[in-house]
């Protein structure tokens, strides 16, 4: 499929909640005196639940309780976390649904990656397609307009394509503006250099503050969201007990944050620079439930079929080929429901 990409090279000076950069999270607070702890290197996504859970879980000693010396490194997108797994600098990482099927499709036959657990889904899909105010009452004018922004290579590619499909436009005739972050998107929106963007969670308020309008919700467009945990199959096969303990700890931290939301928000604001109220709003909208379900298979296969038909990759495969349920069966056997 042909794309008309307009590169956006802007200095990232805007502070938008949930996007704070990348680097070492310094989540490993272990003194190293407990030789029984097993190291586990996790690549976390900026402003995503796995990062928050890593920070709070280490602070509260929950990962140590499960025998894990968690060593977390931060990356801005899921495609970067998975690159870290592939190049051997991380053991586990999170990736969104579209990015998962896209990576597996484009490396089919040459990848060792597997999905070993669901991670999150949205119980309430906050946000959707936002447009510049001049288009709010005239959506037809978006056809061939300044451009739909997309953080290329991420799930936003899928959201934008589905939004264009919902609008009834020819995707190949649209200007797709490749941006590197929501900060860049907000800067372009403020300067009037873009027409539309798919925004979710706490970031919606920043676009609303500059006058952009929500014209179609995720439900209107037919979008469901979710993220998944991946590792190399060889690592899962050799460390199923360790990964199962990580999943158990992950869920325990989730429950801790649920029960201590204000304190957790205050700690994370001081540690990561996020906005407390934005974190609490986003957290309440998440459905975190590690496991591997039939619903996960159906959801990922639906996206895979769309991506294949849209020409994003040439491999026709079933997502179950890339499911490894060994760890999930140990941690939460009742949640492994696919065949």
């Amino acid at each position: 499929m042909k794309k008309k990409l307009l590169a956006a090279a802007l200095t990232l000076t805007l502070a938008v909640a949930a996007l704070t950069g990348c680097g070492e999270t310094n989540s490993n607070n272990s003194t190293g005196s407990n030789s029984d702890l097993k190291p586990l290197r996790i690549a976390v996504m900026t402003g995503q639940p796995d990062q928050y859970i890593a920070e709070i879980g280490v602070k509260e000693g929950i990962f140590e309780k499960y025998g894990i010396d968690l060593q977390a490194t931060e990356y801005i997108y899921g495609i970067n976390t998975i690159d870290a797994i592939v190049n051997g600098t991380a053991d586990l990482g999170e990736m969104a649904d579209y990015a998962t099927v896209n990576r597996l499709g484009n490396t089919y036959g040459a990848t060792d990656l597997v999905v070993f657990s669901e991670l999150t889904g949205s119980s309430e899909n906050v946000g959707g397609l936002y447009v510049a105010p001049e288009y709010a009452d005239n959506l037809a004018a978006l056809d061939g307009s300044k451009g739909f922004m997309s953080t290329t290579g991420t799930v936003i590619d899928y959201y934008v394509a589905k939004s264009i499909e919902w609008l009834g436009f020819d995707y190949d005739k649209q200007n797709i503006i490749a941006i590197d972050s929501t900060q860049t998107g907000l800067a372009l929106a403020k300067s009037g250099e873009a027409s539309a963007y798919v925004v979710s969670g706490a970031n919606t308020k920043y676009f609303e503050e500059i006058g952009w309008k929500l014209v179609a919700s995720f439900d209107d467009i037919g979008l469901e969201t979710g993220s998944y945990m991946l590792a190399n199959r060889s690592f899962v096969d050799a460390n199923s007990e360790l990964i199962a303990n990580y999943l158990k700890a992950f869920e325990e931290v989730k429950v801790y944050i649920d029960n201590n939301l204000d304190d957790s928000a205050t700690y994370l604001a001081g540690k990561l620079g996020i906005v407390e109220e934005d974190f609490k709003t986003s957290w309440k909208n998440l459905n975190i439930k590690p496991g591997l379900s039939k619903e996960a298979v159906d959801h990922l296969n639906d996206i895979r079929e769309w991506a294949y038909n849209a020409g994003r990759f040439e491999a026709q495969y079933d997502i179950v080929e890339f499911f490894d349920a060994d760890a999930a069966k140990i941690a939460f056997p009742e949640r492994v429901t696919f065949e």
Side-chain angles (χ1 to χ4, degrees):
M1 174 176 290
K2 297 179 180 179
K3 298 181 181 179
K4 185 175 182 181
L5 297 177
L6 306 179
L10 295 179
T11 302
L12 305 183
T13 58
L14 300 174
V16 178
L19 288 168
T20 59
C22 58
E24 296 291 335
T25 66
N26 196 29
S27 291
N28 178 18
N29 294 334
S30 171
T31 63
S33 60
N34 189 344
S35 60
D36 293 332
L37 296 181
K38 293 185 177 180
L40 185 62
R41 304 171 302 165
I42 179 169
V44 300
M45 287 174 61
T46 302
Q48 294 300 311
D50 59 338
Q51 182 185 32
Y52 301 144
I53 283 178
E55 294 288 353
I56 298 295
V58 170
K59 171 180 175 288
E60 297 301 323
I62 295 173
F63 288 104
E64 287 190 2
K65 170 184 169 182
Y66 285 88
I68 297 171
D69 172 15
L70 194 70
Q71 302 169 5
T73 303
E74 178 188 358
Y75 297 87
I76 195 167
Y77 293 126
I79 54 176
N80 308 125
T81 67
I82 304 308
D83 285 342
I85 294 171
V86 172
N87 67 33
T89 57
D91 302 318
L92 313 178
E94 176 190 1
M95 194 153 60
D97 39 23
Y98 168 75
T100 296
V101 300
N102 191 51
R103 170 62 70 96
L104 296 176
N106 277 293
T107 58
Y108 189 80
T111 183
D112 192 36
L113 289 170
V114 291
V115 177
F116 66 83
S117 179
E118 299 165 67
L119 191 56
T120 67
S122 293
S123 57
E124 180 183 345
N125 291 321
V126 177
L129 178 63
Y130 277 77
V131 301
E134 62 266 31
Y135 299 102
D137 296 320
N138 184 16
L139 296 182
L142 285 169
D143 196 1
S145 63
K146 297 172 185 175
F148 291 78
M149 295 183 289
S150 179
T151 41
T152 304
T154 74
V155 70
I156 303 299
D157 273 345
Y158 174 65
Y159 292 166
V160 169
K162 291 293 286 185
S163 297
I164 292 170
E165 181 181 294
W166 177 82
L167 288 164
F169 301 159
D170 185 339
Y171 180 91
D172 289 336
K173 294 181 180 178
Q174 307 310 311
N175 295 316
I176 308 299
I177 304 174
I179 61 174
D180 55 10
S181 68
T182 299
Q183 295 109 312
T184 302
L186 186 58
L188 285 175
K190 290 182 72 172
S191 65
E193 298 176 56
S195 308
Y197 188 46
V198 177
V199 190
S200 62
N203 289 321
T204 56
K205 77 173 188 178
Y206 295 101
F207 282 81
E208 290 168 359
E209 286 173 355
I210 64 170
W212 276 44
K213 305 295 183 182
L214 176 67
V215 296
S217 69
F218 282 97
D219 288 341
D220 292 334
I221 299 167
L223 291 171
E224 297 180 8
T225 61
S227 60
Y228 299 82
M229 291 295 293
L230 286 84
N232 283 321
R233 189 184 299 274
S234 54
F235 184 82
V236 178
D237 290 346
N239 297 277
S240 55
E241 290 279 356
L242 175 61
I243 297 173
N245 284 335
Y246 169 76
L247 294 176
K248 292 176 185 177
F250 192 100
E251 179 150 291
E252 186 168 327
V253 180
K254 182 263 182 188
V255 172
Y256 176 88
I257 295 175
D258 287 345
N259 294 332
N260 300 272
L261 190 57
D262 289 339
D263 290 345
S264 297
T266 299
Y267 176 78
L268 291 170
K271 188 75 183 291
L272 302 176
I274 64 174
V275 178
E276 291 185 38
E277 291 304 316
D278 290 348
F279 164 74
K280 290 190 285 187
T281 297
S282 296
W283 186 264
K284 290 175 183 177
N285 290 324
L286 291 172
N287 177 22
I288 297 175
K289 192 174 182 180
L292 279 175
S293 66
K294 180 181 183 301
E295 290 75 18
V297 170
D298 294 342
H299 176 62
L300 287 174
N301 269 333
D302 285 346
I303 296 175
R304 177 201 50 75
E305 189 66 21
W306 175 89
Y308 173 78
N309 291 331
R312 302 305 169 90
F313 47 79
E314 296 181 357
Q316 178 67 288
Y317 66 94
D318 189 323
I319 196 66
V320 172
E321 296 177 49
F322 295 98
F323 270 30
D324 189 319
D326 288 352
K329 285 179 178 178
I330 296 171
F332 307 107
E334 73 283 1
R335 298 182 189 172
V336 179
T337 59
F338 75 95
E339 296 180 358

